Amino acid sequence: MENRWLQALNERLLRFNRSLDWPTYKANRAQVLEDLAEADVTNPAVEKGLVELARSGDGYLREAAVRQLRKGCSEAAWQVLIKCQNDWVPQVRQAALASAGMFLKTERLPVVLASLNAIVRLTGKSRTDHRRFVDQVGAFLDRQEHRPAVLAHFRKSRGPVAGFLLSRLLGWPQEVQAEVVRLSTRHKDAIVRSRFLAACQTQGAVGEEALRVLLDDRFPGNRQKAFLALWRRDLSSAERASLLPKTLLDPSGAVREVALWAARQSAFDLTAFVAEQGKGESLTPRAYLGWLHLLGSTGKTDCLPLIQAAFADSRPKVRQAALLAWVALSRETADAPTSQAMLDVSPKVAKLAGQLLRKGKVALSGTQLQWIAEELESCGDLDRLLALSLRLPYWERLLYLLELQARFGGAKEQTQIAGEVHACLQRQRYALNGQAPELQARVRRAMQQSGLIDVWRNFDKTIVSLEQFL
């Protein structure tokens, strides 16, 4: 059976909504406000009615409903108090702030934790400053009896909510900071770990302990920042030296670079450290990649046989690292492994070789490029052939693409090559008539044999003048 109070309230609301003139409207509203003052919020049905009334278009009714919801218990009531913090009526916002303070009871902690995302989002609203409300919730979470539940929620939280909780946890007493460090350094959100790292840089002994843990962080940026923060502290020479070996062998190039910088700033013997690793057999697979990078950084050509051996490894990542080390150590002899890498079974190794060519790190002769092209064509690898063609001068590349089309008969391959030719013509900067007569004749003959002139004759003339190929 419907609650009698709700029945009476609904009847008054019906008359209120049907008010046809201002005096009647005010009188009916006053009666509704009297009924709201007697609401028994402990009744779930009454609380639900107040939640709905808090969405009313009348500010007086919203204010009255919000004031009563301070006695509520449900998540719906708490969500209304959060939402009304941003109400367009100042009195409603003030009532919501006052009611929220009374709602914050220990027995309602699960409800508050479940709604933290909505609370944090308030800080992005522009209607008013919600810092007072957010700080009020933060102080509630800081209570000693609430700490276990808050820590448990922090462990599974993500994004802005985790960041908000972290800002509160860092202000907790020293006796609980060990647990805060443990949870923060192992948090699944890399951004949370990064924020914690930034806070640790000004937190004395606890900060140093956390920084050492973050040297093993899964995110390379955090490992790099943790190393730099520790290196800049007032450490002894022995302590600094202890930081270098592991960081120098880090799988991330960005981390290794800062470690190399630090090693060069100190008296660390990089050559001796590399020699201590022998042929790298005792290293883990990830550390082995870092060791190959160090071989290339030493400038010692004596290390080239070790790099050559690694380039023959069955693991693509090792071959990639070995190729980079080879180029860094001996660019003059790196053309041979780069040519071989262009034909590697691993697309990633071949892509790296192409990048080295494009950036000018390695130069290949015309003979080497022709050999690579013949090998790729023999195995039908059109994607790599097209990538290789980017190394050619403009008109030679256009001629190569046109001649390549005659050697690939598949419809898919024909369409792909035609697309490359079309893109190449869009980038044309110099007229064909300005080239050597022999090249002109070869390009015109290849264009006519390709049949593309007939395909494009009726369109795309704004992109390229086809008459130059006739």
Side-chain angles (χ1 to χ4, degrees):
M1 176 181 286
E2 187 178 12
N3 183 277
R4 290 185 178 180
W5 179 87
L6 278 177
Q7 289 180 340
L9 177 65
N10 289 333
E11 291 173 1
R12 291 189 186 277
L13 285 173
L14 185 61
R15 292 196 297 271
F16 167 72
N17 292 329
R18 291 178 177 176
S19 302
L20 299 178
D21 56 81
W22 179 243
T24 305
Y25 181 91
K26 288 201 301 182
N28 289 336
R29 182 174 63 189
Q31 291 176 346
V32 173
L33 293 175
E34 289 179 5
D35 287 345
L36 291 178
E38 300 175 359
D40 179 15
V41 187
T42 58
N43 187 313
V46 174
E47 185 189 56
K48 182 179 179 181
L50 290 172
V51 168
E52 295 176 356
L53 198 58
R55 304 188 184 99
S56 170
D58 187 284
Y60 286 93
L61 297 187
R62 292 200 306 278
E63 180 185 358
V66 166
R67 290 191 183 280
Q68 291 297 337
L69 284 174
R70 70 185 186 276
K71 305 172 186 174
C73 295
S74 69
E75 184 175 350
W78 179 236
Q79 288 285 354
V80 165
L81 296 182
I82 297 173
K83 182 179 179 180
C84 287
Q85 301 290 331
N86 203 48
D87 197 276
W88 62 91
V89 177
Q91 289 85 347
V92 177
R93 295 199 298 269
Q94 294 167 7
L97 181 62
S99 295
M102 301 183 68
F103 187 96
L104 294 172
K105 307 289 185 183
T106 299
E107 60 270 17
R108 297 170 188 150
L109 178 60
V111 172
V112 176
L113 290 173
S115 305
L116 279 179
N117 194 39
I119 295 170
V120 174
R121 279 203 306 268
L122 277 176
T123 57
K125 304 293 183 181
S126 58
R127 185 180 300 280
T128 187
D129 181 19
H130 301 289
R131 179 51 54 189
R132 183 179 174 187
F133 170 66
V134 175
D135 288 345
Q136 193 177 50
V137 173
F140 170 72
L141 298 177
D142 290 343
R143 294 181 189 174
Q144 183 175 358
E145 63 271 21
H146 299 163
R147 289 173 188 166
V150 173
L151 287 171
H153 193 78
F154 171 67
R155 185 170 56 249
K156 61 183 181 181
S157 61
R158 299 289 184 275
V161 171
F164 169 72
L165 289 175
L166 176 62
S167 67
R168 306 304 308 187
L169 298 180
L170 291 173
W172 282 10
Q174 188 65 33
E175 59 267 20
V176 294
Q177 284 302 310
E179 181 65 8
V180 173
V181 169
R182 188 184 71 82
L183 292 178
S184 300
T185 54
R186 291 165 174 78
H187 203 280
K188 293 184 178 180
D189 193 328
I191 296 178
V192 171
R193 300 195 304 273
S194 182
R195 289 180 179 177
F196 178 73
L197 189 153
C200 285
Q201 297 181 29
T202 58
Q203 288 198 359
V206 174
E208 182 172 330
E209 176 189 348
L211 289 173
R212 291 187 178 276
V213 174
L214 288 168
L215 286 175
D216 295 318
D217 193 88
R218 297 187 299 274
F219 185 56
N222 286 345
R223 297 199 300 275
Q224 182 190 58
K225 292 176 183 177
F227 174 80
L228 285 173
L230 281 169
W231 188 261
R232 289 166 180 162
R233 286 181 174 238
D234 187 18
L235 302 177
S236 66
S237 299
E239 288 175 324
R240 285 192 171 188
S242 67
L243 296 175
L244 285 170
K246 184 175 183 179
T247 313
L248 285 169
L249 298 175
D250 194 277
S252 167
V255 180
R256 293 196 301 269
E257 286 299 329
V258 297
L260 279 171
W261 166 83
R264 289 163 182 156
Q265 298 296 315
S266 63
F268 189 82
D269 192 340
L270 188 61
T271 304
F273 173 73
V274 172
E276 287 175 4
Q277 314 307 318
K279 295 183 179 180
E281 301 96 334
S282 61
L283 297 173
T284 64
R286 289 166 62 87
Y288 184 64
L289 299 179
W291 176 70
L292 286 174
H293 175 265
L294 287 182
L295 291 179
S297 303
T298 59
K300 304 291 185 182
T301 54
D302 296 345
C303 299
L304 194 56
L306 296 174
I307 297 175
Q308 292 172 336
F311 188 68
D313 195 278
S314 61
R315 293 166 292 181
K317 285 187 176 180
V318 174
R319 295 199 298 277
Q320 282 181 293
L323 179 59
L324 287 172
W326 197 324
V327 172
L329 187 61
S330 178
R331 185 178 296 189
E332 299 78 8
T333 62
D335 56 335
T338 304
S339 299
Q340 185 178 343
M342 290 291 293
L343 302 172
D344 198 279
V345 294
S346 168
K348 292 184 178 180
V349 178
K351 182 179 179 180
L352 174 62
Q355 290 173 341
L356 292 172
L357 288 176
R358 185 171 63 253
K359 294 178 180 179
K361 301 293 186 180
V362 181
L364 298 183
S365 66
T367 303
Q368 288 173 316
L369 290 173
Q370 184 178 357
W371 174 73
I372 295 171
E374 291 174 353
E375 292 294 322
L376 291 174
E377 192 171 335
S378 66
C379 61
D381 195 332
L382 180 59
D383 290 333
R384 294 195 193 182
L385 275 172
L386 295 177
L388 182 66
S389 71
L390 293 172
R391 311 276 72 78
L392 300 174
Y394 175 80
W395 288 108
E396 291 185 19
R397 179 172 186 254
L398 178 60
L399 177 61
Y400 178 73
L401 291 174
L402 293 172
E403 293 175 345
L404 193 64
Q405 191 170 35
R407 299 198 288 270
F408 281 84
K412 181 179 178 181
E413 289 82 358
Q414 288 278 316
T415 302
Q416 189 174 358
I417 297 173
E420 288 292 323
V421 173
H422 187 274
C424 188
L425 291 174
Q426 283 183 299
R427 293 191 290 270
Q428 180 180 340
R429 297 178 59 188
Y430 304 104
L432 177 61
N433 291 335
Q435 308 306 310
E438 182 182 353
L439 178 61
Q440 291 183 44
R442 291 181 62 192
V443 171
R444 289 193 177 98
R445 184 168 56 252
M447 177 66 81
Q448 291 169 0
Q449 291 175 351
S450 70
L452 294 176
I453 291 180
D454 295 331
V455 175
W456 293 337
R457 187 181 298 278
N458 297 324
F459 58 91
D460 279 343
K461 289 192 176 182
T462 58
I463 297 175
V464 60
S465 175
L466 297 177
E467 285 79 6
Q468 66 181 313
F469 301 109
L470 296 176

